[in-house]
Amino acid sequence: MKNWLCAILLLALTACATSPTGRSQLMLVSPEQAISASREAYVQTLLPLQKEGKVDSNRATARRVQIITGKIIAQAIQQFPQTRDWEWSVKVIDEPDTVNAWCMAGGKMAVYTGLLDKVKPTDDELAQVMGHEISHALANHTAERMSVALATQMGMMGVAMVAGDSEYAGVALSGSALAAAMAITLPNSRTSESEADLMGIELAARAGYNPRAAATLWEKMAKVGGSTPPEFMSTHPSPTNRQSTLNNLADKMMPYYLQKGDRPIYPLN
């Protein structure tokens, strides 16, 4: 039993990686495993919605999202060349009461019509949403959340074994199911959110979108939510000074936004 617990501790100590901003991350699940699991989860998530006609039902809206997202993806690939081989995808899900967007590992994305219709983001503001979500994938946050969940379950399995609960101790995690839960329903840590803010605002600025829109986006989000924050905010915890932080970041990102020349676009369909 002591050997089992020591093995868990050793694995947690050695399975570390470094994020694009230099932060240490727990990586019991590799980015490649997270991408594979997310690919399966993406199909499982969209299939029933497609059967109901709720995916990309408005061609003009879908095209708007594709153009904005495609410009940000092009910048992501320039900054992170290994993502060139990702199967990038973005879909608009017709759920008017859902104010949310997400990006799984490997660049599998979705935006809900509730965010588009209730927040009514400008192109600059929508670019902040997509840049932020894409940054979660670039920083391997899905793999990180899966790893935290796995470490937690391993610890509970160890406790169960000590307590003699052999039934619980034999429970195993399902990769694709866990990926879907982690990527869509569970919140990132505040550290991960701050990291996605920093990376996302730069990607959007490089793509030609005004970084000052990051702060106005969150102002709109707060107004839409009222006393109850919309899902996008509730699953994206943030410190109270987020808007101030974003305004300060915007000043630093303006040179990217103001640089001359055409901005490439990654083709999405």
Side-chain angles (χ1 to χ4, degrees):
M1 188 58 58
K2 183 182 293 185
N3 290 340
W4 166 259
L5 295 176
C6 287
I8 294 176
L9 180 60
L10 180 61
L11 185 59
L13 291 174
T14 57
C16 292
T18 303
S19 77
T21 64
R23 179 175 60 87
S24 179
Q25 296 174 289
L26 176 66
M27 284 293 170
L28 297 174
V29 176
S30 72
E32 292 76 20
Q33 289 173 316
I35 289 173
S36 177
S38 292
R39 186 184 301 116
E40 179 183 352
Y42 193 61
V43 172
Q44 292 176 352
T45 300
L46 292 181
L47 188 58
L49 296 169
Q50 288 172 328
K51 290 180 178 179
E52 296 175 21
K54 291 185 176 182
V55 177
D56 290 346
S57 59
N58 185 303
R59 190 170 298 179
T61 299
R63 187 58 185 156
R64 179 195 178 203
V65 171
Q66 289 168 359
I67 290 173
I68 293 171
T69 305
K71 289 183 179 180
I72 297 173
I73 291 172
Q75 296 301 321
I77 291 174
Q78 287 186 12
Q79 300 298 311
F80 302 87
Q82 71 276 15
T83 66
R84 186 177 301 278
D85 295 329
W86 284 7
E87 297 173 5
W88 292 95
S89 176
V90 62
K91 299 296 181 182
V92 177
I93 297 175
D94 189 6
E95 289 190 2
D97 293 327
T98 303
V99 182
N100 202 14
W102 42 260
C103 182
M104 293 180 176
K108 300 295 190 181
M109 291 169 272
V111 183
Y112 293 82
T113 54
L115 187 152
L116 300 173
D117 296 339
K118 293 187 177 183
V119 178
K120 299 186 184 305
T122 65
D123 285 359
D124 291 313
E125 290 166 345
L126 183 54
Q128 303 303 321
V129 173
M130 303 316 299
H132 179 96
E133 294 305 318
I134 287 172
S135 294
H136 280 309
L138 297 176
N140 295 318
H141 289 165
T142 299
E144 185 176 13
R145 279 179 291 168
M146 290 175 68
S147 296
V148 170
L150 180 57
T152 300
Q153 188 173 50
M154 288 172 66
M156 294 176 68
M157 288 170 64
V159 171
M161 291 178 69
V162 170
D165 187 350
S166 59
E167 181 177 350
Y168 183 84
V171 174
L173 285 172
S174 170
S176 60
L178 181 59
M182 297 300 101
I184 300 176
T185 62
L186 296 183
N188 287 285
S189 68
R190 290 191 173 187
T191 300
S192 295
E193 288 302 319
S194 295
E195 193 166 52
D197 278 347
L198 174 61
M199 296 173 63
I201 195 172
E202 179 177 339
L203 286 175
R206 288 180 179 273
Y209 295 103
N210 194 333
R212 300 203 183 283
T216 60
L217 168 70
W218 288 98
E219 289 175 4
K220 286 185 176 182
M221 283 284 186
K223 290 178 181 178
V224 167
S227 59
T228 303
E231 186 173 356
F232 185 81
M233 293 183 72
S234 65
T235 56
H236 293 69
S238 61
T240 55
N241 66 344
R242 186 173 202 169
Q243 285 177 258
S244 175
T245 300
L246 289 172
N247 277 324
N248 290 333
L249 284 173
D251 291 336
K252 298 177 182 178
M253 300 302 159
M254 287 304 289
Y256 296 127
Y257 168 60
L258 295 173
Q259 66 185 10
K260 296 181 180 180
D262 294 333
R263 313 300 169 108
I265 179 171
Y266 181 90
L268 290 166
N269 50 39

